[in-house]
Amino acid sequence: MLKIDSLTKSYGEKRAVDDLTLHIEKGEIYGFIGHNGAGKTTTLKSCVGLIGFDSGEIYVDGVSIRKYPIECKKMIAYIPDNPELYDFLSGIKYLDFIAGVYGVGEEKNERIKALSEAFEIADDLASPISSYSHGMKQKLAIISAYLHDPKLIIMDEPFVGLDPKASHTLKVMMREHCDKGGAIFFSTHVLDVAEKLCDKIAIIKEGKLVVAGRTEDVKGDDSLEDVFLELEEKDD
Amino acid sequence: MIRRLVAIRLRNAFLNSISGKDKNGNARPASTGRLIGFAFLYTFLFFVFFGMIFTMSMPIAMLLVPQGSSDLYFGIFTLLSLTVIFILSIFETKSELFECKDNELLLSMPIKTRDIIISRVSVVLIYNYITEAIVLIPVLLSYMIYGGSPIGIFGSIVLFVTLPLLATALASGVGYLVALISAKIARFKTAIVTVLFTVFFLLYFVGLNYLTENMDAIFEYVEGNINAIADKFSFIGFIGRASLLAPLPLVIYLAIAAAASAICVFLISKSYLSIITSSNTSEKVVYKEKKLKATGMLTALVRKELARFTSSATYILNGALGYVFVLIIAGIIVFNGGIPIDIDPELAGDVGMDFEFSGETIAPFVIGAFIFCYSMTLMTAASVSIEGKHFWIVKSLPIPAKTLLLAKLIPSMLISVPIALITGIASAIASGVSFIYLLLYVTVPMAAAVAFNFIGLVFNCLFPKFTYLNEAEVVKQSLPVFLTMMVNLLLSLGAFAVLAIGAISGGGEIALLAILFLFIVISVSLYFLLAGPLSRKLENINI
């Protein structure tokens, strides 16, 4: 579903992502772990087409994001780490806007109802986004991501700001999405969640892939936290 | 601390607009070449405005200064300077004081609230000194050319130093009142703020109209009735005498400026926290489920653009002021039953206008005036930059850049095209012109309005500015807005000159057709520029 081949991206002299290769298959929840500044967000943004990259290639369901960004974006939904949504719109108008862009027909009504009730913000949809808390904005961003039933969802720290119930709802939805043949690629610092939720995990350090594979293979008999800390210390 | 806050603010406002991009579209510090280029551009623009004021002040200085009426001369231009600064800074003060995104960050730090307020006001004050320099330095030069006295020169320097204080205090006061009112209301904030600012504007133009009408009287009676004029225009006389260092007016003027500044800072300090902390609150509305109709991408984008435009009084008033003037002119023509013009046939003969005055012969001038008004519509010049921190949304969605740009053009077309159609038809019918002229009344201003929208969007694509602390930075002060204003002004003045020559020489229709053709060519050329290289530029901007 998502194929990252030898991705390299530099900011001036600093190489943010260095020859990164990852393959995410249909039905997989793929966790992306690394310390602050490791290159996670740069990778995710490159996959969504928010930033260009120096070399390598990214394919979404076999389509190159560099050559056919619009076709790729039709298959993707993206949730950034700090969702700055249109605060001049109400929640419902924002969702209507997203549905319009993706060409979702009148079935959007049912989807909005179901998703907003699942995340308990149905009553707040008429209020302007400027009045929303960080958590509510995050919920709205998640709802907007699921609205067009994307093949691939890319999320940057999706659990930040969510209350425990919403976190649980999101985890269930992530699993359901992948069980239906979709794929999810997300970054997180919450290693417990990654350990329990992800089918596969990749750990990145200073732009380079340190380890990647099935969660049980990566962590072995230890906890993911132990593995992560050990890898961090080893290279230091 | 105040100095540091001001420095950070100015650095953000100026350097962000000229920072460069690398081959991947990442921001990087401006190169020396880019800095020199921008310095040259800003200097050029400074001198264009400077030249305009100089050209205006020369004949007035020639008339007044040698006859010993320097007080009247300074009075007139001080009033002009005061109103220009006031009008230009009225939005700035509200945005700068109450709508900066770093207000809460600064308040959380161990910085006195008073220091934050003073630093904010100081930034506006610096902008106002730049504006004042553009107005008063050429005035002073004209004064010196026509034999101004050393007292007048020294007095004008005193005025230069103190006038922005008064103007800033007045503008801050209005900005404070509007912010205070909008902080107290939960709904229809934008509409109320827009109406309030429009009322201020109308009052300003009524005052300006009064002054302009009475200018004839000034020139007519200037030689023998200085005292009477000074009495009639007591403010002009008073401020003029203050500029010539007459003790009492000077002391009163300085006291007013100092008191206004002190009162302004005091009042703002009192309510600053409550205004800022209430700025993001809106009435909570419980959502009642309604069936949403299916829409396409372009409709969704246009709706979003319209919602963005109507969400901000600053954006509405800065972007659409020209439309208000068009409606005013058309209203005057309709209510007057034609063009209210009364030209002395003898004077017309002197300048070569040897034709019958009728709706059709005057039409090129009226259409020229419409074009001039449309040149002040700057909606599209900020439409890309205003995406700001939200730009990631449209970048991550499957929206072709061309569609995005089209969606940014359509709202301004949705406003300008009907206005051009209605005002054109109404003006043509009221003026009693033929069908051909009715078509020209509609098509020429419409083509101009569309071209001006294209120009704004092109400049904004060339120089987008996504990082800003308050809206006024992109809506009012950004480089694309400035460039659009300048190019539109030059084009509209050029068009007016062509139309005037055409009308005077009896070739009004040909001149109008030529201008129509020119604006269509501009729009078509810019369309291809937007659809090609500028769309690609937008696609390559990194977030």
Side-chain angles (χ1 to χ4, degrees), chain B residues 217-232:
Chain B
I218 296 172
F219 289 116
E220 198 174 326
Y221 298 111
V222 71
E223 282 174 306
N225 299 289
I226 296 299
N227 292 334
I229 294 160
D231 288 342
K232 188 174 178 185

Side-chain angles (χ1 to χ4, degrees), chain A residues 70-145:
Chain A
I70 301 296
E71 283 68 21
C72 288
K73 286 175 188 177
K74 284 178 185 167
M75 295 185 270
I76 301 175
Y78 171 63
I79 302 168
D81 53 347
N82 184 22
E84 295 280 6
L85 309 178
Y86 294 129
D87 38 23
F88 51 89
L89 294 179
S90 62
I92 188 69
K93 284 187 176 164
Y94 179 72
L95 295 175
D96 195 27
F97 163 72
I98 297 290
V101 168
Y102 282 105
V104 183
E106 295 202 354
E107 66 268 29
K108 67 187 169 185
N109 289 291
E110 284 306 310
R111 289 188 194 168
I112 290 171
K113 188 173 187 300
L115 289 164
S116 60
E117 281 173 0
F119 282 100
E120 298 180 325
I121 60 163
D123 285 349
D124 300 299
L125 289 179
S127 299
I129 295 173
S130 59
S131 67
Y132 283 19
S133 67
H134 182 270
M136 286 166 76
K137 284 182 188 170
Q138 186 74 359
K139 288 176 183 179
L140 193 68
I142 294 166
I143 293 170
S144 70

Side-chain angles (χ1 to χ4, degrees), chain B residues 61-104:
Chain B
M62 185 176 73
L63 184 71
L64 296 177
V65 178
Q67 299 190 38
S69 304
S70 300
D71 54 347
L72 195 58
Y73 174 74
F74 278 120
I76 290 166
F77 281 104
T78 304
L79 188 64
L80 175 75
S81 183
L82 190 67
T83 48
V84 168
I85 297 171
F86 176 73
I87 291 298
L88 289 180
S89 61
I90 195 164
F91 292 110
E92 186 58 42
T93 48
K94 182 173 173 283
S95 299
E96 191 67 41
L97 279 162
F98 304 108
E99 292 166 3
C100 275
K101 286 185 249 171
D102 62 346
N103 277 339
E104 288 182 15

Side-chain angles (χ1 to χ4, degrees), chain B residues 27-46:
Chain B
R28 62 174 165 73
S31 63
T32 310
R34 200 174 169 88
L35 278 173
I36 292 169
F38 274 94
F40 180 78
L41 181 68
Y42 280 121
T43 311
F44 171 74
L45 293 174
F46 179 87

Side-chain angles (χ1 to χ4, degrees), chain B residues 114 117 176 259-272:
Chain B
R114 192 198 61 196
I117 295 170
Y176 163 75
S261 305
I263 290 169
C264 166
V265 172
F266 173 76
L267 279 177
I268 294 169
S269 308
K270 282 280 173 194
S271 318
Y272 190 63

Side-chain angles (χ1 to χ4, degrees), chain B residues 397-450:
Chain B
L397 296 174
I399 304 169
K402 207 170 135 182
T403 310
L404 181 64
L405 292 176
L406 186 62
K408 293 199 173 289
L409 270 174
I410 288 175
S412 55
M413 305 285 192
L414 286 176
I415 300 171
S416 59
V417 170
I419 287 179
L421 192 69
I422 293 164
T423 54
I425 292 173
S427 305
I429 292 171
S431 309
V433 295
S434 66
F435 183 68
I436 296 292
Y437 266 92
L438 185 144
L439 286 179
L440 290 169
Y441 250 110
V442 172
T443 52
V444 178
M446 194 185 284
V450 170

Side-chain angles (χ1 to χ4, degrees), chain A residues 54 73 85 108-109 123, chain B residues 24 287 292-293 390 392 395:
Chain A
D54 306 331
K73 286 175 188 177
L85 309 178
K108 67 187 169 185
N109 289 291
D123 285 349
Chain B
N24 290 325
Y287 177 58
L292 302 169
K293 286 183 184 166
H390 302 123
W392 73 269
K395 276 284 284 182

